[in-house]
Amino acid sequence: MTRKTGLIALLACMLAVAPAGSQPQQPVGPAPAPAVVPPVAAVPTPGTPALTAADLGAWLDGNLPAALLQGKIAGAQVVVVKDGQVLVKKGYGYADVAAKKTMDVDRTLMRIGSTSKLFTWTAVLQLVEAGKIDLNADINRYLDFRITPKSGRPITMNDLMTHRAGFEEGLKDLLATDPARLKTTEAYLKENQRPQLFPAGAVPAYSNYGAALAGYIVERVSGEPFAAYVEHHILTPLQMPRTTFVQPLPRALAASMSKGYHQSNMAPGPFELVETAPAGSASTTGGDMANFMIALLQDGRFGNGQILRPETAGLTRRPVIQPQPGFAAMAHGFFNERRNGRLVVGHGGDTIVFHTDMNLLPEQGVGFFVSFNSRGENDAAYGARQRLFDLFMDRYFPAPPAVTPAAIANAADHAEAIAGHYEGSRRVETGFISLFYLIQQDAITANEDGTISVSSIEDKKFREIAPNLWREVDGPRQLLVTETGGRRTIVDSANPISVMQAVPAVRNSTLNMLVGGLSVLVLLATALLWPVAAGLRRTYPGRAVVTGRAARLQFLTRLSAVGDLAYLGGWYMILAPILQSRVEVYNAGLDGWIRALQIAAIIPLAGAVIGVWNAGTTFATGRGWTARVRSVIVAAALIGIVWVAWMGNLIGFNLNY
């Protein structure tokens, strides 16, 4: 997941992350071939501290406690391995604040969200070794239900592992807190099939649904339940007895589970049940994850156990699609990039309250794992984990300062040309959740100095150093301008799981926010002034009074304004849990209310017709200009509500969101 905050960040970060430092995207579509500047070489810096247990332990003690306190994060675990051994493992803060139960790296379980996917991809690769899965075969070969591909090109396991199956995101049945509502992976996949936004292989769009499909295929071809398969073929050989995909937790482990907090000064939340289990349901300890990291760093070997052949383990460091130089990629499910000139592979993970990163430096034999049990104040955990790994890399594996090449001659003109609003390829387009993606988008701004800024990449400017290639000023991050499906596309070198696509004018968030906001204000004024007008008529009986059909239409127009506000209020009640991070409420139990609001769309539709009719009648009857202007403004507001409701998919009968 990316490190954005806000509504889209909540949806985007659910059980999905990019590794610390965020990841680059592979170019998509017919891109030009710019003269890309290669990554900064790894040059040892004089005075760099040696990565030793003593130095690292002291450094962590000097950084993490302050980060937890400042961010209102209850507790954390950190484990670093080196050369096949645990170098440092430490717990900080509390697993249970009220009970003052300290964090124990060897016993306290944490939820690791999408870092769980690495076990799923490992299981897939084991079955590839066994000849039971073909990475390039149509996945329908392994399923007991059919996924009809977009544009005819079948979805393959490689597509799932690179998040290029083309699925749009979904929120329904993503998380639960009531075990009675927890679905099996099979039931989830069959009842919540996600539409394809893109043809398979064309565009990266991170998908928990796709990862869950991969886990279900593991279950189908192995003949074992997914959690049992992982236990027998990965956890047991790696001596990871305190790791499980089972939900709710087995009794033997439940008492050791860390509480999960929004903030350390708040009550803990309930245990989060992940419906897309293979995509994010693992519970584990830092101590167990040390063994997993060692095995991945040692080509699948841990002690006497071997979970992957060396040549297969090497696939986790080999991108499926070769990226542009300086851009990271997906290597069979593992994020793959170069940081400070070093190869870094791994994956991060988030639930609502737990936040994790696991990063491996294969060339140095080093693994770094950190997990927080709190979201923190203002989503502090996201920044805390990113800063921790950034500082770790800069301390022990530093790179020389990046120097941005000079801008090309016509960079300022190009900046103006690409400025505008963009939406991520990882999004929802069907169902009412798409409203959030309609009103919150990235904005690219052309600066006076010929650079560009991206709203979701704070405090950074980018300079065009080659045609269609923009590089961070005094930094390594890059943006590539290309095209997919006829739409201008921005590929971010720090995000291989999504691209930014220019929005059509009708989907521009500024336009839709303006239309929606002004429409609501006009309707509120209409509703509030209705009783005022009635009072004035009683106080001043000599005032001109509209009669006949004009009076009835005026009454119906005001009633429509009230009806629209009630309609919007109903949708707000449905959408409000997202603002409170209460994702677990979005399940079949809400379907009746959603269906009622979908039927209630007749209110704004009828209101818009009445508003236009009223405006026409106002002009036809020769009323004064103030009445005419007022009638047109109200009619426009009623139409505006229909517009936003239509564009945001509030109008429709889709219950798969």
Side-chain angles (χ1 to χ4, degrees):
M1 278 183 211
T2 55
R3 305 297 198 272
K4 297 185 293 184
T5 56
L7 299 179
I8 297 305
L10 172 63
L11 300 176
C13 288
M14 229 71 72
L15 313 179
V17 224
S22 62
Q23 300 294 339
Q25 298 220 221
Q26 299 134 198
V28 292
V36 184
V37 178
V40 176
V43 180
T45 303
T48 299
L51 180 56
T52 65
D55 188 87
L56 177 60
W59 179 79
L60 288 170
D61 290 346
N63 279 276
L64 257 182
L68 299 186
L69 182 64
Q70 183 178 10
K72 295 183 180 177
I73 299 169
Q77 296 184 14
V78 182
V79 177
V80 177
V81 301
K82 185 175 185 288
D83 299 329
Q85 302 294 324
V86 175
L87 188 67
V88 167
K89 57 180 177 181
K90 283 178 169 283
Y92 294 90
Y94 294 105
D96 186 330
V97 174
K100 301 296 181 186
K101 184 178 179 180
T102 56
M103 191 69 73
D104 185 330
V105 183
D106 289 316
R107 293 196 57 79
T108 305
L109 273 68
M110 307 285 276
R111 306 306 303 283
I112 60 171
S114 280
T115 307
S116 309
K117 289 181 174 70
L118 298 186
F119 294 94
T120 301
W121 305 132
T122 300
V124 167
L125 292 176
Q126 287 179 333
L127 293 167
V128 170
E129 281 187 354
K132 295 183 178 181
I133 291 178
D134 181 343
L135 292 176
N136 296 306
D138 184 344
I139 59 171
N140 283 310
R141 174 190 298 185
Y142 309 111
L143 297 172
D144 57 347
F145 65 103
R146 180 165 181 80
I147 293 179
T148 303
K150 186 182 182 74
S151 301
R153 200 285 217 172
I155 298 170
T156 69
M157 183 61 74
N158 264 333
D159 293 328
L160 299 182
M161 298 180 93
T162 56
H163 295 284
R164 287 173 174 262
F167 295 122
E168 74 167 51
E169 258 302 3
L171 183 64
K172 187 176 183 179
D173 290 328
L174 189 63
L175 287 177
T177 54
D178 180 1
R181 285 205 173 272
L182 182 64
K183 295 181 178 180
T184 64
T185 301
E186 177 183 0
Y188 171 83
L189 292 171
K190 292 178 178 179
E191 295 172 16
N192 298 274
Q193 282 200 45
R194 302 309 303 150
Q196 275 186 278
L197 289 181
F198 312 104
V203 177
Y206 193 96
S207 175
N208 288 306
Y209 186 86
L213 269 176
Y216 184 55
I217 289 170
V218 167
E219 190 171 290
R220 294 266 304 158
V221 303
S222 70
E224 295 182 73
F226 178 78
Y229 178 91
V230 172
E231 179 182 353
H232 296 155
H233 299 274
I234 301 175
L235 305 180
T236 298
L238 298 185
Q239 301 172 36
M240 299 175 66
R242 301 186 70 75
T243 302
T244 183
F245 275 76
V246 174
Q247 303 178 107
L249 285 173
R251 183 173 298 179
L253 297 176
S256 300
M257 183 68 221
S258 171
K259 302 291 187 185
Y261 299 85
H262 282 272
Q263 294 181 190
S264 57
N265 58 342
M266 296 180 177
F271 184 82
E272 298 164 307
L273 301 164
V274 180
E275 304 264 10
T276 53
S281 69
S283 302
T284 188
T285 66
D288 273 13
M289 289 300 290
N291 297 0
F292 187 51
M293 290 193 290
I294 289 170
L296 292 172
L297 289 165
Q298 295 187 152
D299 289 331
R301 177 179 55 82
F302 179 80
N304 295 324
Q306 188 83 36
I307 59 169
L308 291 172
R309 297 174 193 154
E311 61 271 22
T312 308
L315 294 176
T316 65
R317 303 189 285 274
R318 191 180 311 150
V320 177
I321 300 172
Q322 192 61 37
Q324 293 274 358
F327 284 66
M330 297 303 298
H332 298 88
F334 288 66
F335 287 92
N336 182 295
E337 66 167 334
R338 298 200 75 85
R339 295 282 301 279
N340 292 0
R342 280 80 171 180
L343 175 65
V344 177
V345 300
H347 211 295
D350 302 85
T351 66
I352 298 296
V353 291
F354 284 89
H355 305 278
T356 299
D357 258 327
M358 192 194 90
N359 293 287
L360 308 175
L361 287 80
E363 296 160 353
Q364 286 71 38
V366 172
F368 184 98
F369 172 85
V370 62
S371 188
F372 298 94
N373 67 352
S374 312
R375 193 176 189 89
E377 187 174 40
N378 298 320
D379 300 333
Y382 296 111
R385 71 177 176 192
Q386 180 171 334
R387 283 192 300 273
L388 189 68
F389 188 64
D390 286 347
L391 293 171
F392 172 83
M393 290 295 296
D394 291 342
R395 180 175 179 82
Y396 297 108
F397 305 101
V403 177
T404 310
I408 63 175
N410 48 355
D413 293 336
H414 293 171
E416 293 288 348
I418 66 173
H421 284 252
Y422 291 77
E423 58 187 357
S425 57
R426 186 189 180 194
R427 62 181 184 267
V428 178
E429 278 197 4
T430 58
F432 65 91
I433 297 299
S434 67
L435 176 68
F436 288 126
Y437 294 82
L438 179 68
I439 62 178
Q440 289 198 356
Q441 296 163 356
D442 267 323
I444 291 182
T445 304
N447 303 314
E448 292 184 359
D449 60 0
T451 63
I452 60 171
S453 298
V454 183
S455 58
S456 61
I457 307 175
E458 297 179 359
D459 304 321
K460 294 185 187 298
K461 290 183 176 182
F462 294 83
R463 179 185 300 158
E464 190 177 23
I465 60 172
N468 298 313
L469 183 71
W470 298 75
R471 182 161 173 169
E472 177 189 348
V473 176
D474 299 326
R477 195 166 183 173
Q478 300 180 84
L479 303 174
L480 177 67
V481 183
T482 181
E483 184 179 294
T484 53
R487 295 175 66 179
R488 185 169 62 247
T489 298
I490 308 294
V491 183
D492 180 358
S493 73
N495 186 358
I497 57 173
S498 178
V499 295
M500 294 181 287
Q501 297 182 300
V503 299
V506 294
R507 284 188 59 81
N508 184 289
S509 59
T510 300
L511 169 67
N512 285 285
M513 287 287 287
L514 187 64
V515 170
L518 290 177
S519 296
V520 169
L521 287 176
V522 169
L523 298 186
L524 277 171
T526 301
L528 292 174
L529 290 175
W530 189 1
V532 173
L536 288 174
R537 284 196 300 271
R538 288 193 296 269
T539 304
Y540 303 101
R543 289 169 57 91
V545 177
V546 179
T547 59
R549 185 176 68 179
R552 290 192 294 274
L553 281 173
Q554 188 179 74
F555 171 81
L556 289 174
T557 300
R558 291 167 173 170
L559 191 62
S560 295
V562 174
D564 274 18
L565 293 172
Y567 170 79
L568 294 176
W571 274 115
Y572 176 80
M573 296 297 290
I574 295 294
L575 296 166
I578 295 177
L579 309 179
Q580 303 157 6
S581 302
R582 293 175 52 225
V583 179
E584 73 280 357
V585 306
Y586 294 100
N587 53 53
L590 208 59
D591 285 358
W593 294 103
I594 295 171
R595 179 66 80 213
L597 282 168
Q598 290 172 337
I599 294 171
I602 191 66
I603 294 172
L605 290 169
V609 172
I610 291 169
V612 172
W613 191 2
N614 178 65
T617 300
T618 302
F619 275 79
T621 53
R623 296 178 61 194
W625 69 268
T626 55
R628 295 181 183 185
V629 170
R630 187 166 59 245
S631 70
V632 170
I633 291 174
V634 174
L638 291 167
I639 294 170
I641 297 301
V642 173
W643 170 268
V644 173
W646 177 261
M647 294 299 298
N649 279 311
L650 303 185
I651 297 176
F653 288 94
N654 181 22
L655 292 174
N656 185 17
Y657 50 87

